Amino acid sequence: MINRLEEWVMAALLAFMTLLTFAQVVMRYVFNTGWVWSLEATTYSFAALVLVGMSYGVRTHTHIAIDLFVKRFPPRLRRLIALAVVVVCLVYAVLMLYGSSELVARLMTLGNAARDISAPKWLLTMTMPIGFVLLAFRFLQAGWQLLRHPDSAGAVGQSHLPNVAMNKEDSEGQS
Amino acid sequence: MTALFLLVSLFTMLFIGVPVAVSLGLASVLTMLFFGDQTLVSSTQKFFHTMQVYPLLAVPFFILAGTFMTTGGVARRMVAFANALVGHFRGGLAMAALLASAFFAAVSGSAPATVVAVGSVMIVGMVSSGYTRNFAAGVICNAGTLGILIPPSLVMVVYGAITESSIGKLFIAGILPGIILTVVMMITVTVIARRQEMPRQERASFRTVVKTFREALWGLMLVLIILGGIYAGIFTPTEAAAVSAVYAFFIAVFVYRDISMNDVPHVLIEAAKITVMLMFIIANAFMFAFLLTTEQIPQMASEFIVGMGLPVWGFLLVLNVLLLLSGNFMEPTSVVLILTPIVFPIAMEMGIDPTHLGVLMIINMQIGLVTPPVGLNLFVTASVAELSLEETIKASFPWLAVLLAVLMLITYVPWISLVVPNLLLN
């Protein structure tokens, strides 16, 4: 359920950003007007898309990593390294979570509203701590998988891009 | 000390297989905490701010446009048109594959996408007309690299955003080198075809040429929208990208009808996935660049290099080697994101034009795409051509000579990269 939800949120945000920017161009050239809030709405949606998508990328193994050297190592060492990688990723997620929560807290004390949208800035920036909580959760999940299934080395990342047309048989129900 | 810690931690993490995005982010954050005078909050702010950098909005839009184009039958119609134009020469289908790749590169900003789009139509066709599978794979694999040279180009968007130079200018600068590379590859095919007696096809009638042109026109129009729009000052590159995405949706669903309305959410999800993967790296790279700037690391590197008294041609040579080596281990966007913040200030100090530097980096990245161990185009070609990775590497290897020759030409004749933008934009 949650898995589907992530996909729908991402698809909707991308469609919204694209249509809004397109509409803005049409408005400017055809009707000679525009919405002031449009650019800000687009960039905050963009941020939300990336921040929600980060953890989704962990689950679907779309983040790029260099696995070339590790592949040559003996299996036991590989497993150890894979665990170290997960720990490193967790440290990253937690530090970023801490930094972004601090940022949101600061924006709350300042109490500024966004420039063109009538919403407080801290609310719009909340997507960042939420995104990093989800990311930390997915890394924990990957670590757990690794501990339980000794033969699944390299739980995070892959060495090449997910391909545009070849991913048709989707990557559902991993995790 | 700061620089040493930053680089050692970054490369250690990359080496043990930490995702590129996380390596960049964590190395920057740790360095900042241990040595820097900025706070964690300002780093995370930089991360968030990346998604508010206006030129980078072009990234999701171009990816979306490309996904609609790859899924739809745009490439098939471009192949038909290219074939009608050059199919009657000896080695005609191979030349058509090159030309079709150049056409598709002009609507798509990604190299692997170009390989998939053209390769999935063309390789079967070439094999059934008597070419070897290996030859077909070699041509497609290398021609696909045009995707990041001929505008629009995602790598150019990223380079422009991180150096704060004009993306429109870079796009226009990529045109002539793109044409030169296409022509040089076509000449190579002609030479090989003569020697190996490759098949030719019947000359297409003028009516066929016109008919296939009209069918391909819907796709080719996109080039006009992007370049014409930017050149005439109607659109910013970001707006051009959004217009292309809507246009690509429109022709794929309503004109060519290759995909139905029900498939649209799937295309959106696919594009969103790639967007996130790239933007996650980019946002972390912006934290990395922020740290470099606040710690003044590029200035130190620049003083060191300039102090060595290296001539410009020597610097360019060293730069090429550095880029080629990095391109062997990482995909293009990551290389550009990691190296540009360090190399750009040095190059500026040496009086190298930022647009020329951009084009030069792109061609190095193209070579990285077709060289092992990490060449994206090799992986994609192997799966499209149903060859093993080793065979694909062997098939693609001879073309390296062509790419390297063009790289030398572009490196030492800046005029090629600069003449068109200077002519059109001043």
Side-chain angles (χ1 to χ4, degrees):
Chain A
M1 236 58 66
I2 300 273
N3 300 346
R4 280 272 153 227
L5 186 70
E6 276 173 318
E7 291 186 346
W8 279 104
V9 169
M10 286 163 68
L13 285 169
L14 181 56
F16 173 71
M17 286 165 60
T18 314
L19 289 174
L20 190 57
T21 308
F22 177 73
Q24 187 73 0
V25 177
V26 174
M27 297 269 283
R28 193 170 71 228
Y29 284 101
V30 183
F31 305 106
N32 222 351
T33 60
W35 303 297
V36 272
W37 51 269
S38 132
L39 181 61
E40 241 184 8
T42 309
T43 55
Y44 279 114
S45 310
F46 189 25
L49 167 65
V50 175
L51 292 160
V52 170
M54 296 183 310
S55 56
Y56 176 80
V58 176
R59 181 165 69 80
T60 51
H61 302 268
T62 41
H63 291 308
I64 297 181
I66 305 173
D67 56 3
L68 176 82
F69 305 107
V70 179
K71 264 191 203 157
R72 313 259 151 105
F73 292 161
R76 286 188 92 177
L77 186 59
R78 256 172 78 175
R79 204 171 116 69
L80 220 60
I81 291 180
L83 279 170
V85 168
V86 173
V87 172
V88 166
C89 289
L90 263 173
V91 171
Y92 165 80
V94 169
L95 279 175
M96 292 299 286
L97 173 61
Y98 176 76
S100 53
S101 318
E102 195 85 331
L103 177 65
V104 171
R106 239 181 245 188
L107 289 170
M108 258 168 137
T109 359
L110 284 172
N112 287 355
R115 200 156 26 94
D116 304 314
I117 310 177
S118 54
K121 233 176 170 171
W122 67 265
L123 192 67
L124 297 165
T125 317
M126 268 306 277
T127 46
M128 188 153 53
I130 295 173
F132 282 107
V133 166
L134 291 173
L135 187 68
F137 171 70
R138 288 297 182 194
F139 283 140
L140 271 178
Q141 213 176 24
W144 181 239
Q145 285 275 322
L146 206 60
L147 284 175
R148 274 190 28 203
H149 304 284
D151 39 306
S152 65
V156 195
Q158 57 162 20
S159 63
H160 48 97
L161 284 169
N163 195 266
V164 182
M166 300 172 73
N167 275 13
K168 272 188 187 142
E169 355 38 74
D170 208 351
S171 38
E172 285 163 52
Q174 288 183 15
S175 89
Chain B
M1 192 57 211
T2 314
L4 191 70
F5 179 81
L6 178 67
L7 293 179
V8 169
S9 59
L10 174 63
F11 286 106
T12 313
M13 282 192 266
L14 286 174
F15 179 80
I16 63 166
V18 176
V20 175
V22 175
S23 306
L24 275 166
L26 189 59
S28 319
V29 170
L30 288 181
T31 310
M32 185 155 282
L33 287 176
F34 294 152
F35 303 98
D37 37 37
Q38 300 288 323
T39 59
L40 194 53
V41 177
S42 56
S43 288
T44 43
Q45 202 166 15
K46 201 72 198 167
F47 184 102
F48 196 81
H49 181 73
T50 310
M51 270 69 78
Q52 286 162 332
V53 174
Y54 181 70
L56 282 177
L57 274 172
V59 170
F61 301 153
F62 274 133
I63 290 173
L64 184 57
T67 314
F68 274 118
M69 291 272 175
T70 323
T71 321
V74 176
R76 189 156 29 97
R77 290 166 180 89
M78 287 180 173
V79 165
F81 173 52
N83 204 15
L85 282 181
V86 296
H88 58 278
F89 292 113
R90 197 166 281 290
L93 264 181
M95 292 174 87
L98 285 168
L99 200 57
S101 299
F103 288 157
F104 195 79
V107 298
S108 151
S110 140
T114 308
V115 171
V116 174
V118 179
S120 52
V121 185
M122 206 75 207
I123 290 179
V124 180
M126 284 174 77
V127 171
S128 65
S129 331
Y131 292 83
T132 64
R133 192 171 282 274
N134 293 40
F135 181 74
V139 171
I140 295 289
C141 184
N142 285 277
T145 65
L146 288 168
I148 57 169
L149 179 61
I150 297 181
S153 156
L154 284 174
V155 186
M156 286 181 186
V157 171
V158 169
Y159 174 86
I162 203 156
T163 60
E164 295 177 3
S165 45
S166 158
I167 293 168
K169 194 173 174 191
L170 272 167
F171 276 6
I172 289 169
I175 299 174
L176 187 59
I179 293 173
I180 290 177
L181 183 55
T182 313
V183 170
V184 173
M185 287 203 275
M186 283 173 100
I187 294 171
T188 315
V189 163
T190 317
V191 173
I192 301 173
R194 284 262 165 78
R195 212 180 286 161
Q196 303 191 353
E197 303 266 306
M198 280 182 179
R200 56 167 61 170
Q201 290 152 292
E202 235 170 89
R203 182 186 283 274
S205 68
F206 184 67
R207 271 185 55 193
T208 321
V209 175
V210 173
K211 188 171 156 280
T212 53
F213 172 68
R214 279 178 47 186
E215 290 221 332
L217 188 63
W218 286 101
L220 291 170
M221 279 281 282
L222 201 58
V223 191
L224 224 61
I225 296 177
I226 297 169
L227 288 183
I230 295 173
Y231 166 58
I234 301 172
F235 306 134
T236 61
T238 301
E239 288 172 341
V243 172
S244 340
V246 174
Y247 179 84
F249 156 77
F250 181 77
I251 59 170
V253 175
F254 297 111
V255 180
Y256 290 160
R257 294 167 196 245
D258 295 308
I259 53 176
S260 71
M261 252 341 227
N262 294 336
D263 298 328
V264 173
H266 191 90
V267 173
L268 281 167
I269 291 167
E270 215 44 59
K273 237 180 183 170
I274 301 171
T275 301
V276 168
M277 193 262 319
L278 275 177
M279 285 308 300
F280 189 35
I281 301 178
I282 295 172
N284 282 292
F286 269 66
M287 290 204 303
F288 176 69
F290 174 59
L291 175 80
L292 288 177
T293 320
T294 53
E295 295 300 311
Q296 304 202 312
I297 294 171
Q299 282 86 331
M300 289 189 279
S302 172
E303 267 166 38
F304 177 70
I305 303 269
V306 175
M308 278 184 358
L310 207 63
V312 174
W313 68 265
F315 171 72
L316 287 174
L317 194 67
V318 174
L319 182 63
N320 276 331
V321 172
L322 182 67
L323 287 167
L324 286 175
L325 283 178
S326 322
N328 277 353
F329 296 99
M330 277 181 279
E331 51 83 44
T333 350
S334 309
V335 177
V336 168
L337 284 166
I338 295 174
L339 290 183
T340 309
I342 305 172
V343 162
F344 189 78
I346 308 176
M348 293 308 101
E349 190 75 17
M350 296 207 130
I352 296 164
D353 186 279
T355 308
H356 177 219
L357 182 69
V359 174
L360 185 152
M361 287 186 111
I362 303 270
I363 299 191
N364 275 296
M365 293 309 103
Q366 286 182 270
I367 297 176
L369 283 168
V370 297
T371 42
V374 183
L376 277 185
N377 274 26
L378 292 172
F379 296 136
V380 179
T381 308
S383 83
V384 174
E386 291 168 8
L387 281 175
S388 73
L389 193 57
E390 285 70 32
E391 279 177 296
T392 313
I393 293 168
K394 241 183 262 166
S396 152
F397 187 72
W399 291 93
L400 207 56
V402 177
L403 287 174
L404 282 171
V406 173
L407 172 64
M408 283 300 117
L409 190 69
I410 302 290
T411 305
Y412 291 109
V413 190
W415 181 84
I416 299 171
S417 317
L418 298 176
V419 59
V420 183
N422 286 346
L423 214 66
L424 290 181
L425 296 177
N426 286 333

